[in-house]
Amino acid sequence: MNLRPLGKTGLQVSEVSFGTWAIGGSWGQTNNAESLRALDRAMDEGVNFFDTADVYGDGKSERLLARATKGKEDKIHIATKFCRQGDIHDPQTYSEQRVRQWCEDSLKRLERETIDLYQIHCAPFEILKQGAVFEVLDKLQQEGKIRAYGVSVETVEEGLFCLEKSGVQALQIIFNIFRQKPIAELLPRAAERGVGLLVRLPLASGLLTGKFKADASFEPEDHRSFNQNGEAFNVGETFAGLPFAKGVELASQLGWIAEGRGNMTRASLRWLLDFKEITCVIPGFKNVRQVEDNLGVLATKPFSAEEHERLRAFYREQVSEHIRGAY
């Protein structure tokens, strides 16, 4: 496992890490025993960093991580997120009292004394611009409740704004072959500022595995069913903001990336890791097989300069116009 620096936090984290939204809920049925086996498998293979949030399964993902990492707290780093338990548009949601309580609640569920990375969970831009929440996070950091803090953002504009906040040590962004806008300005600016970049939805909710057909259906409790058009939250969080049928059609044109790389999953993750500015990718998982498949990227060859240019042209000419939602 290759390790990369998480900004200026002093932490070195596995370049393939994992997100735990799927094992908490909103991705269909889960099995706790299988989730724990998958977490163990990831750690056995050198994964030392996991991303979660207080709303994933109403704290379920945090509790599963506490069980899986018991006795390994000094070796396995955890990032969690806050604010979506409240009204994200209400400034009071970001008051010291509310944030402090959410932080304490996450610490209890994680069974830890310090959160390695505490992230604002996709707050509206107007809240970020008001700035009060950063002062609260500074205080929690000074008290040792959190080691570092960052922001999970929806748009490049939000990311660039947060990079100007001196206390922000990491950004979590949506970035994949279907969503390449961060390349031009956000990636180099983050590197210049020494801020870590966590890549969520690296497989575009599964589109970039190449396994879906246009008539695929998803369970009612799966966000790929109930949020296909942004009915519940930002449409960009589901299939990278692409209409599902269009996403399947576009994915079918990418079969060539798997040549010599095993499959599209590994190739899509490899493309992301080719960017030195990226700290880690955090794909989701629900079972051991998915963990193992994602970790296969570690033995996957990088893309050539010509292949990178081919994928940039593909994005510009065939993908970008179809993306919906804030970006």
Side-chain angles (χ1 to χ4, degrees), residues 262-283:
N263 57 34
M264 276 183 61
T265 297
R266 297 171 188 181
S268 297
L269 294 175
R270 180 64 256 175
W271 179 82
L272 289 164
L273 293 176
D274 281 355
F275 293 90
K276 65 183 184 303
E277 302 92 342
I278 297 304
T279 300
C280 61
V281 293
I282 50 171

Side-chain angles (χ1 to χ4, degrees), residues 175-207:
F175 180 37
N176 55 56
I177 290 173
F178 285 152
R179 255 177 113 92
Q180 298 187 30
K181 189 176 178 182
I183 295 173
E185 195 173 356
L186 188 59
L187 265 60
R189 184 63 176 149
E192 180 184 315
R193 299 286 291 183
V195 171
L197 291 175
L198 284 60
V199 174
R200 72 182 186 274
L201 299 169
L203 300 174
S205 306
L207 280 176

Side-chain angles (χ1 to χ4, degrees), residues 126-136 161 165:
E126 59 265 25
I127 292 291
L128 297 175
K129 287 188 283 191
Q130 288 170 15
V133 66
F134 297 105
E135 297 176 13
V136 176
F161 173 84
K165 294 291 183 180

Side-chain angles (χ1 to χ4, degrees), residues 133-248:
V133 66
F134 297 105
E135 297 176 13
V136 176
L137 292 169
D138 283 334
K139 186 174 290 189
L140 292 174
Q141 186 177 27
Q142 290 162 8
E143 295 173 6
K145 298 289 185 184
I146 62 177
R147 181 167 182 166
Y149 65 82
V151 190
S152 181
V153 297
E154 299 284 9
T155 71
V156 167
E157 185 182 15
E158 291 167 0
L160 291 171
F161 173 84
C162 291
L163 287 175
E164 298 308 311
K165 294 291 183 180
S166 60
V168 171
Q169 297 282 5
L171 290 181
Q172 187 176 137
I173 62 173
I174 303 174
F175 180 37
N176 55 56
I177 290 173
F178 285 152
R179 255 177 113 92
Q180 298 187 30
K181 189 176 178 182
I183 295 173
E185 195 173 356
L186 188 59
L187 265 60
R189 184 63 176 149
E192 180 184 315
R193 299 286 291 183
V195 171
L197 291 175
L198 284 60
V199 174
R200 72 182 186 274
L201 299 169
L203 300 174
S205 306
L207 280 176
L208 288 168
T209 67
K211 296 175 182 176
F212 292 149
K213 299 191 182 305
D215 61 355
S217 61
F218 303 92
E219 298 171 69
E221 63 270 29
D222 190 325
H223 76 101
R224 293 173 294 182
S225 174
F226 68 74
N227 195 59
Q228 280 205 18
N229 299 301
E231 297 91 338
F233 40 80
N234 189 335
V235 69
E237 301 285 350
T238 305
F239 300 127
L242 291 169
F244 179 66
K246 173 56 70 171
V248 172

